[in-house]
Amino acid sequence: METLGEDLVLLALRPNGTMHAQQKLRFAVAGSELLRLAALGRVEIVAGRVFLLDVTSTGHPLLDEALLDLGRRGGGEPAEAWIARARPGLRERYLAHLAAQEAVRVERHRALGLFRVSRWHVLDLGRVNEVRARLDRIAASTGELTPEQTAFAGLVHVAGLDVALYPAGPGAAARARLRQIARKRPLDTIAPSTPTDPANWLVTAVVMASLDAAAPASVSNAASHSGAAGSIVHQHNNTPQHDTHHHGTGGSQHGGGAHGGGSHGGFDSGGGGGHH
């Protein structure tokens, strides 16, 4: 769980340097921070509210920022409210942290000579492929999962990355499985005084709070797509529906997933990948 937030951001990167889940990624990342702070003993969640236990540094700058923000607001804030609260630049700070690890690099230019545009390209292809393969194994699973696996799958669903990474048709079963994991409520979810499974109870509480926090963004996103439908339809025949990713020099393309369409859609280090 140590790299949960970073893993979500890496999965959101498209091969062209833009990002999936623009509206909802921040809710999943904030949820990941809450889980990690709880695992480190810095906070606890009681009856859906976040209480500070220890304000000493975690040794991770992004988690320390989250801990400081929680401290400024005092104890007892609902988890959903803290996750939903706008924290400008959260995604960019995670990208900068990944850049410091040489996992990604940024490319900046001006569109039309006016607007500043940033593109984030993956450098550590092995890391991204490992993260995606781990998610694929969870999406193909049928049995019980560890709390770490449940948290990962649940927050992928919160961000809407399940829809982006597993396109309609062949990805339907994977999307359904990730949704099932995210929305499964244990019998003792409703804030028992002594959960029978504290680790899974914590994960469920945070994932559900993250889903609730992201719900308004989901409604807004659906409305914007509905309102824009008329302008999109007439471009349908000329506009690709999915990202494409070239593998090697052979020119074959795979549509749909964030990172291509192989068995787990991993980045390819061949000549046409566009990540180097």
Side-chain angles (χ1 to χ4, degrees):
M1 198 177 292
E2 291 182 2
T3 61
L4 183 54
E6 297 166 21
D7 292 346
L8 293 167
V9 173
L10 285 172
L11 283 176
L13 283 171
R14 291 188 176 105
N16 66 0
T18 61
M19 300 192 78
H20 290 295
Q22 293 278 359
Q23 288 190 308
K24 297 198 293 181
L25 180 62
R26 69 180 180 90
F27 303 109
V29 171
S32 77
E33 292 179 331
L34 209 51
L35 279 173
R36 291 189 62 197
L37 288 171
L40 291 170
R42 299 305 194 274
V43 303
E44 66 175 348
I45 299 176
V46 179
R49 295 179 178 272
V50 185
F51 294 91
L52 292 172
L53 297 177
D54 182 355
V55 296
T56 58
S57 172
T58 65
H60 190 293
L62 296 172
L63 287 185
D64 285 348
E65 286 182 14
L67 188 60
L68 182 62
D69 185 76
L70 284 163
R72 283 197 298 262
R73 302 183 189 285
E77 182 174 22
E80 176 188 343
W82 185 79
I83 292 169
R85 196 181 305 279
R87 291 160 61 202
L90 180 63
R91 180 185 62 192
E92 287 71 21
R93 289 194 293 277
Y94 269 80
L95 286 165
H97 183 71
L98 286 165
Q101 299 174 5
E102 298 186 345
V104 302
R105 65 175 174 84
V106 64
E107 177 184 285
R108 293 188 172 94
H109 65 278
R110 290 191 179 275
L112 304 176
L114 298 173
F115 307 104
R116 189 174 181 180
V117 176
S118 296
R119 294 286 185 266
W120 293 88
H121 300 283
V122 171
L123 296 177
D124 192 344
L125 304 179
R127 178 174 176 180
V128 176
N129 288 341
E130 186 279 325
V131 172
R132 180 62 193 269
R134 182 155 33 95
L135 180 63
D136 284 342
R137 288 193 294 271
I138 296 171
S141 68
T142 57
E144 292 297 316
L145 301 172
T146 66
E148 290 79 9
Q149 290 173 317
T150 300
F152 186 30
L155 292 176
V156 163
H157 177 68
V158 167
L161 287 170
D162 49 349
V163 175
L165 298 175
Y166 300 100
R175 288 202 314 274
R177 173 59 171 157
L178 294 174
R179 178 185 174 86
Q180 176 197 44
I181 294 167
R183 295 178 181 272
K184 180 180 179 181
R185 292 176 180 260
L187 294 177
D188 61 1
T189 295
I190 311 301
S193 57
T194 306
T196 57
D197 187 347
N200 273 314
W201 183 88
L202 173 65
V203 168
T204 299
V206 172
V207 169
M208 297 309 299
S210 302
L211 280 169
D212 290 342
S218 299
V219 172
S220 174
N221 189 45
S224 65
H225 279 296
S226 176
S231 63
I232 293 173
V233 169
H234 77 276
Q235 300 177 17
H236 179 78
N237 291 332
N238 297 320
T239 304
Q241 295 184 46
H242 304 294
D243 296 326
T244 57
H245 184 69
H246 297 269
H247 291 258
T249 57
S252 62
Q253 296 180 342
H254 301 275
H259 310 311
S263 61
H264 56 78
F267 284 101
D268 189 282
S269 58
H275 294 286
H276 308 286

